[in-house]
């Protein structure tokens, strides 16, 4: 969202703008709703704003509502949600998959059907060298 509102984007940003502008704000697939950050608990997904879908944190994480379908989200490192660093969050139909790759923790691939997470380290000393499979 910030890139789309930037008054003077850099050349590399201009190249990405058409793709970003064409992207869907959310994707429904079977019993899952995929969003960047989360959803506001009091609104149907069709009424969520771009800002909510890309930036919400506290209201989505702390509210005890149980969304239907499951909401798969990133944007907030799961360690901030009480998880062991580098692990996927799964509670109340909310599945957090930001496991801190940017912060040298782990890069996950979530198998939602079998409730498994495959991950590898992104720490410079062990970059991509230790595959872990965990139950989520």
């Amino acid at each position: 969202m910030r890139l789309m509102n930037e008054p003077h984007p850099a050349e590399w940003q201009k190249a990405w703008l058409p793709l970003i502008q064409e992207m869907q704000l959310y994707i429904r697939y079977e019993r899952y709703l995929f969003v960047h950050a989360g959803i506001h608990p009091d609104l149907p997904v069709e009424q969520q704003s771009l800002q909510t879908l890309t930036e919400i944190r506290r209201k989505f994480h702390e509210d005890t509502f149980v969304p239907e379908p499951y909401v798969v989200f990133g944007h907030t490192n799961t360690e901030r949600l009480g998880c062991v660093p580098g692990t996927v969050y799964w509670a109340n139909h909310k599945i957090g998959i930001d496991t801190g790759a940017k912060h040298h923790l782990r890069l996950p691939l979530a198998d939602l059907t079998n409730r498994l997470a495959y991950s590898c380290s992104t720490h410079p000393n062990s970059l991509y060298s230790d595959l872990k499979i965990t139950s989520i």
Side-chain angles (χ1 to χ4, degrees):
M1 181 166 133
R2 290 182 188 139
L3 176 60
M4 292 173 21
N5 292 328
E6 195 166 308
H8 306 290
E11 286 304 312
W12 71 268
Q13 293 171 319
K14 288 178 187 176
W16 287 99
L17 271 173
L19 175 67
I20 291 169
Q21 290 169 331
E22 290 179 17
M23 290 177 139
Q24 297 177 46
L25 296 178
Y26 59 88
I27 295 173
R28 285 183 193 265
Y29 181 75
E30 295 182 357
R31 59 187 194 163
Y32 300 101
L33 175 69
F34 296 87
V35 297
H36 178 76
I39 60 173
H40 192 286
D42 299 331
L43 293 172
V45 70
E46 299 80 16
Q47 294 178 17
Q48 305 280 332
S49 70
L50 171 64
Q51 184 172 9
T52 297
L53 294 169
T54 60
E55 296 181 21
I56 195 168
R57 288 189 199 263
R58 182 172 290 160
K59 182 70 176 163
F60 173 66
H61 301 305
E62 293 178 0
D63 198 290
T64 58
F65 81 110
V66 178
E68 188 61 48
Y70 289 83
V71 176
V72 181
F73 66 96
H75 188 66
T76 300
N77 187 324
T78 58
E79 184 177 8
R80 293 177 64 187
L81 302 174
C83 290
V84 171
T87 61
V88 171
Y89 173 86
W90 187 306
N92 295 327
H93 285 205
K94 300 172 191 174
I95 305 166
I97 58 172
D98 179 345
T99 58
K102 174 177 118 176
H103 303 288
H104 305 301
L105 291 173
R106 303 199 66 78
L107 177 66
L109 180 143
D111 174 351
L112 301 175
T113 301
N114 296 305
R115 291 188 67 161
L116 294 172
Y118 301 84
S119 68
C120 60
S121 174
T122 57
H123 192 278
N125 295 340
S126 57
L127 192 62
Y128 311 133
S129 64
D130 66 332
L131 174 65
K132 285 186 182 176
I133 303 171
T134 54
S135 193
I136 52 177

